[in-house]
Amino acid sequence: MKQVILGILLSLTSIYAVYANDEVSQEYLGEVLVVSREQLYQNPSEQDFARLVAFGLDTRYGVFVRSWLYFELEMVTQKISLQPDDEAAKARQRILFNLRRQIDLE
């Protein structure tokens, strides 16, 4: 278990290093957010949100990514309050919460 966690942390830091060293345009960040949102609403359990986490860990873009995660989480939470039996929305809520937590804990 420790090896798996260590492997995940090493891969995240390498991804972070790749994206943090390059200057990124605002359009590219927007594209990453759009793709992440599409992944979230297609089949979120099979998707990889590593690029989103890398941008969230970058101090230049972290506030923007955290804000985006906050508002997506709020929209999903409101949908769950209207439709409490929506399992897909609950899965999205868990993923968004974990992404936000993953970024905030780093």
Side-chain angles (χ1 to χ4, degrees):
M1 184 66 177
K2 289 181 182 179
Q3 292 174 345
V4 172
I5 293 172
L6 182 62
I8 292 171
L9 289 175
L10 287 174
S11 66
L12 286 176
T13 55
S14 64
I15 291 170
Y16 173 73
V18 167
Y19 289 109
N21 288 335
D22 296 332
E23 188 65 32
V24 178
S25 69
Q26 294 174 352
E27 290 84 17
Y28 183 69
L29 177 59
E31 290 171 9
V32 168
L33 293 177
V34 168
V35 168
S36 296
R37 189 166 199 275
E38 289 172 357
Q39 290 175 346
L40 184 66
Y41 285 91
Q42 288 175 357
N43 193 358
S45 61
E46 298 178 3
Q47 301 299 333
D48 181 24
F49 295 99
R51 289 192 308 175
L52 182 66
V53 171
F55 279 114
L57 295 175
D58 191 334
T59 56
R60 298 171 290 181
Y61 312 109
V63 173
F64 189 77
V65 172
R66 283 187 191 97
S67 299
W68 180 82
L69 285 170
Y70 172 80
F71 285 111
E72 282 293 324
L73 187 58
E74 285 296 311
M75 286 190 303
V76 170
T77 303
Q78 288 177 4
K79 182 174 183 180
I80 291 171
S81 70
L82 296 173
Q83 299 172 341
D85 58 341
D86 189 353
E87 293 300 321
K90 289 179 183 179
R92 285 186 208 107
Q93 184 185 37
R94 283 190 298 273
I95 291 170
L96 288 166
F97 180 76
N98 288 334
L99 286 170
R100 190 177 72 176
R101 187 170 182 206
Q102 188 176 13
I103 290 169
D104 287 342
L105 290 178
E106 283 293 322

